[in-house]
DNA sequence: ATGATACTTGACTATTTTAGTCAGGTTTAT
DNA sequence: ATAAACCTGACTAAAATAGTCAAGTATCAT
């Protein structure tokens, strides 16, 4: 079980952005340089973030991206949802009718994975972008 | 982020085993049939579980596997460790000297992934095989 | 003894996912 | 006008996953 780069980079890029946001739009080029993330990959990610109304784009020279909400209101859940980072512990849930093994009953551990998913998602729901920025500023002092 | 089959199957198989354990060794063939898991794959998994002293094997006719400890003492952590199911949120930790992006500093979100890993691992440390068996018996009533 | 049952080991592989790259746009500030 | 910036979608090499396959060895019931 591990996190994918897409999700990790999305969060990193947004933390970077959130730190400069109140001044000017931040260009992906800058984020790419500062965070060491491929520009092309960032574009893919930000395309999704924009569609999910987490950021706004500003075109033209001196353009870039700005947050679409306050950092406090952007939770990790929102970010992961936007870039299709899913916490998926188990297959069983896709098929609505059938049970987990193609059998009619739930698998022995069905409830467990449910609990685990909730446990992880709670963590993501509580944590906001603001928390991360703060955490970072404290470390820099 | 998702769990691999190896980890899931390991837990499923052990719950199955734990339910019959006090009577006789349970053969992989039976587990395979009941849980719909490939016998060959189960053998791979149980080989690891045995090496990690989670189960004992009983050879010969009527042989099979039995738990090596009480179900209460087998935590999910132990099972996942045994089958190499790792919670790995981030690459940064491998390289001891360098930072996360090959830079000298930690990446902006380093602490976050640390916290997340702990959050998940705590869940695994608390949950025992006995809990799962109980949960299952309750559901069957 | 011997056959059946069961465990043991290790190599192999098709499929899927990941982590991007690449190419060719369009839009807008100056 | 033009450079900086965003936008889109197709493509792909490499790694991980989820097993399969083959060839054993050990033990027990009879």
């Amino acid at each position: 079980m591990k996190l994918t780069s897409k999700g990790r980079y999305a969060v990193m890029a947004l933390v970077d952005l959130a730190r400069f946001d109140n001044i000017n739009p931040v260009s992906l080029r800058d984020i790419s340089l500062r965070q060491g993330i491929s520009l092309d990959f960032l574009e893919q990610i930000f395309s999704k973030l924009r569609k999910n109304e987490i950021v706004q784009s500003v075109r033209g020279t001196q353009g870039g991206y700005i947050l679409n909400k306050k950092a406090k209101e952007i939770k990790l859940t929102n970010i992961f949802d936007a870039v299709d980072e899913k916490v998926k512990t188990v297959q069983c849930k896709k098929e609505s009718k059938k049970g987990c093994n193609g059998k009619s009953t739930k698998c022995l551990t069905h409830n467990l994975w449910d609990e685990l998913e909730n446990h992880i998602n709670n963590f993501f729901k509580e944590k906001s972008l603001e928390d991360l920025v703060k955490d970072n500023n404290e470390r820099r002092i």
Side-chain angles (χ1 to χ4, degrees), chain A:
Chain A
M1 182 163 60
K2 68 175 188 219
L3 233 60
T4 69
S5 289
K6 201 170 276 186
R8 287 192 291 115
Y9 286 166
V11 176
M12 279 174 66
L14 285 173
V15 172
D16 185 310
L17 194 155
R19 293 166 74 183
F20 296 90
D21 183 49
N22 29 15
I23 310 168
N24 278 315
V26 179
S27 75
L28 293 190
R29 191 178 135 75
D30 287 351
I31 296 179
S32 167
L33 290 174
R34 278 195 296 263
Q35 304 304 327
I37 305 170
S38 142
L39 180 58
D40 282 318
F41 202 24
L42 275 178
E43 282 176 354
Q44 264 186 52
I45 292 168
F46 272 75
S47 169
K48 294 186 179 191
L49 291 176
R50 193 180 59 81
K51 280 174 191 156
N52 284 272
E53 299 179 347
I54 290 173
V55 296
Q56 278 184 351
S57 67
V58 179
R59 298 189 147 218
T61 314
Q62 305 304 320
Y65 285 95
I66 55 174
L67 293 183
N68 197 31
K69 304 175 193 171
K70 287 180 184 170
K72 197 176 193 170
E73 287 158 16
I74 300 175
K75 307 293 185 184
L76 287 197
T77 300
N78 308 132
I79 300 173
F80 285 144
D81 281 352
V83 299
D84 300 315
E85 181 85 83
K86 293 181 201 90
V87 175
K88 200 177 66 175
T89 51
V90 96
Q91 268 81 9
C92 343
K93 288 175 193 167
K94 286 190 177 173
E95 318 146 50
S96 50
K97 285 266 181 184
K98 281 188 180 179
C100 304
N101 310 322
K103 300 183 180 178
S104 59
T105 63
K106 283 188 190 174
C107 68
L108 290 178
T109 50
H110 193 102
N111 288 356
L112 171 67
W113 312 124
D114 261 359
E115 273 185 64
L116 175 58
E117 266 188 37
N118 288 337
H119 187 72
I120 296 173
N121 283 325
N122 283 340
F123 182 85
F124 289 153
K125 275 179 198 158
E126 283 167 17
K127 213 81 177 176
S128 77
L129 207 50
E130 191 186 52
D131 296 333
L132 299 180
V133 174
K134 274 186 185 169
D135 177 57
N136 242 272
N137 288 338
E138 281 162 19
R139 262 171 38 206
R140 284 161 77 212
I141 294 167

